[in-house]
Amino acid sequence: MGCLDMGYEDNVRRVVPYTPGEQPGGRVIKLNTNECPYPPSPKVREALRNLDTDNLRKYPDPTCSELVSAIAGYYGLKDENVFTGVGSDDVLSMCFLTFFNGADPVLFPDITYSFYDVWASVYGIPYKTVPLRDDFTLDPAPYRQKNGGIVIANPNAPTGIAADHGVIEEILSSNPGVMVIVDEAYIDFGGESALPLLNDHENLLIVRTLSKSRALAGLRIGYAFGQKKAIKYLNDVKFSVNSYTMNTPSLLAGKAAIEDDRYFKEIRDRVISTREWVKKELKELGFSFGDSRTNFIFASHKGTLPGETEKDFAKRIFGSLKERGIYVRYFDKPLIDGYLRISIGTDEEMREFIRVLREIM
Ligand code: PMP
């Protein structure tokens, strides 16, 4: 006898999905998803141009071995210390599924990448958010409570602020019994990587991406560093979900991007110097923001109209900029609804952004 009194919806895994930034078409200034404003390395273009399309009839290499070796070689690690996936979102999702299988709540900051609670929910992982300090810096003390794992974005998003020296090490040392995932999506723009801690901490997993500093968001390439055993656990889960996660063009282009160190450093440095110029301009316009170590600035303003609150101002400026074809990100969420997250574009885009901002403030 079947379940005649049930609809299929009784069995649906219902989730509130993550909301990605808009991807508008046409000619806009796009400062809303922390993409790189410069094209990928010419070596990537060359690799894709040389792609043997006949070869696409075959499945890609499930171990992603050439990309894994390129990444391992670049960072002075062994292949066994590297895992790759379809953007760091895929890598992080695999990490949640692999390492957070206990009864105690996984901890992460109350203001952080808004995908963490979504993965926890979809996989049924208990979690608890931990307040940042009022200035959005990371306090390691609350991470001494009993937990089933920890996730820290460093530098953090959407605040752009990097953890103080020693904070990540303190969290790792006080939590030897659980996996600590450090999401270093923006590390190339000025934070201090946890990589030197990898040898001494088997509970450390560092997640990175080629989407930001290597200008490859469109190909979806992410990776993780861990000790051999942790990477093996990750691969066991990956091969139990989908063996062929990364496609052949991405594997080739990712390797080419990693190998072009000169180009990587050039565009990274350009983004950093533009960011410092934008900070100076925003300060002059009366904005407040922390010390961004990322390719975006998270800024608030007391308001310029009579009675205008920080939230009113942020919403108004977000809307006015959009009307003029300039997209930034606004999160209508407690604690951060008075802020705009502004990705760093080219010098020309940022000059235009500041010009328009002056006009509409
Ligand atoms: N982590 C953080 C903190 C991010 O901001 C992003 C970008 N949305 C990601 C991970 C995911 O990036 P990707 O999947 O493009 O590697």
Side-chain angles (χ1 to χ4, degrees), residues 18 33-34 86-90 92 113 116 153 155 157 183 185-186 208-212 217 220-222 341:
Y18 169 76
T33 49
N34 302 339
V86 187
S88 56
D89 280 341
D90 177 45
L92 286 161
Y113 186 30
Y116 301 154
D183 178 352
Y186 301 100
R208 300 265 190 101
T209 180
L210 268 63
S211 296
K212 317 291 179 184
R220 315 302 300 122
I221 304 169
R341 195 194 67 187

Side-chain angles (χ1 to χ4, degrees), residues 41-43 74 81 98 102 104 112 115 161 166 177 180 189 193 205 211 213 225 256 261 264-265 286 298 306 322 342:
S41 154
K43 299 251 162 50
Y74 183 80
N81 300 120
T98 307
D104 293 320
T112 192
F115 225 138
I161 291 173
V180 177
F189 301 105
S193 176
L205 213 105
S211 296
S213 56
F225 301 136
D261 195 41
F264 154 68
K265 288 182 171 145
F298 196 55
K322 193 167 164 177
I342 305 148

Side-chain angles (χ1 to χ4, degrees), residues 73-354:
Y74 183 80
Y75 290 102
L77 299 168
K78 293 187 180 148
D79 291 7
E80 66 196 29
N81 300 120
V82 178
F83 175 83
T84 59
V86 187
S88 56
D89 280 341
D90 177 45
V91 176
L92 286 161
S93 150
M94 284 293 118
C95 289
F96 271 64
L97 194 55
T98 307
F99 300 111
F100 300 155
N101 195 28
D104 293 320
V106 167
L107 306 179
F108 43 84
D110 55 350
I111 303 170
T112 192
Y113 186 30
S114 53
F115 225 138
Y116 301 154
D117 57 352
V118 175
W119 286 312
S121 301
V122 74
Y123 294 138
I125 298 164
Y127 70 94
K128 189 171 155 188
T129 59
V130 177
L132 290 175
R133 295 192 187 102
D134 287 345
D135 63 356
F136 292 158
T137 57
L138 181 66
D139 177 5
Y143 292 90
R144 289 179 181 274
Q145 64 185 292
K146 199 161 184 283
N147 67 76
I150 292 171
V151 191
I152 302 289
N154 186 37
N156 198 9
T159 65
I161 291 173
D164 284 343
H165 182 78
V167 165
I168 300 292
E169 187 166 17
E170 189 177 333
I171 291 175
L172 278 167
S173 303
S174 54
N175 288 280
V178 298
M179 189 52 93
V180 177
I181 294 170
V182 182
D183 178 352
E184 294 191 348
Y186 301 100
I187 197 71
D188 291 327
F189 301 105
E192 189 188 8
S193 176
L195 190 51
L197 305 174
L198 197 58
N199 256 337
D200 294 334
H201 298 273
E202 67 165 6
N203 61 324
L204 169 63
L205 213 105
I206 300 166
V207 179
R208 300 265 190 101
T209 180
L210 268 63
S211 296
K212 317 291 179 184
S213 56
R214 303 258 178 187
L216 279 179
L219 277 184
R220 315 302 300 122
I221 304 169
Y223 57 100
F225 301 136
Q227 287 195 8
K228 181 181 176 179
K229 198 163 56 166
I231 296 298
K232 165 85 167 58
Y233 281 129
L234 259 180
N235 271 312
D236 286 349
V237 169
K238 170 201 139 161
F239 279 93
S240 308
V241 176
N242 177 4
S243 324
Y244 305 108
T245 48
M246 303 192 69
N247 62 59
T248 301
S250 296
L251 292 171
L252 292 170
K255 178 168 177 281
I258 291 290
E259 286 171 352
D260 196 351
D261 195 41
R262 193 194 54 77
Y263 183 83
F264 154 68
K265 288 182 171 145
E266 187 186 315
I267 59 173
R268 176 203 60 189
D269 291 349
R270 259 202 255 175
V271 169
I272 292 173
S273 88
T274 307
R275 176 188 74 203
E276 295 309 308
W277 178 82
V278 176
K279 279 185 181 172
K280 200 164 58 59
E281 295 291 313
L282 287 178
K283 193 141 271 168
E284 270 176 29
L285 290 171
F287 280 87
S288 307
F289 44 86
D291 180 20
S292 165
R293 299 297 179 93
T294 57
N295 63 342
F296 56 87
I297 298 170
F298 196 55
S300 68
H301 196 288
K302 286 191 169 32
T304 50
L305 302 179
E308 193 174 43
T309 63
E310 288 189 357
K311 178 173 176 171
D312 297 336
F313 177 86
K315 283 184 103 158
R316 176 170 68 83
I317 296 298
F318 170 77
S320 301
L321 284 169
K322 193 167 164 177
E323 277 167 20
R324 289 161 178 79
I326 301 178
Y327 284 68
V328 298
R329 193 90 196 257
Y330 174 73
F331 300 93
D332 199 348
K333 283 185 172 177
L335 304 172
I336 57 171
D337 59 10
Y339 288 78
L340 294 172
R341 195 194 67 187
I342 305 148
S343 307
I344 301 301
T346 60
D347 285 339
E348 195 188 347
E349 287 173 326
M350 299 321 282
R351 273 197 298 269
E352 176 66 4
F353 164 71
I354 294 289

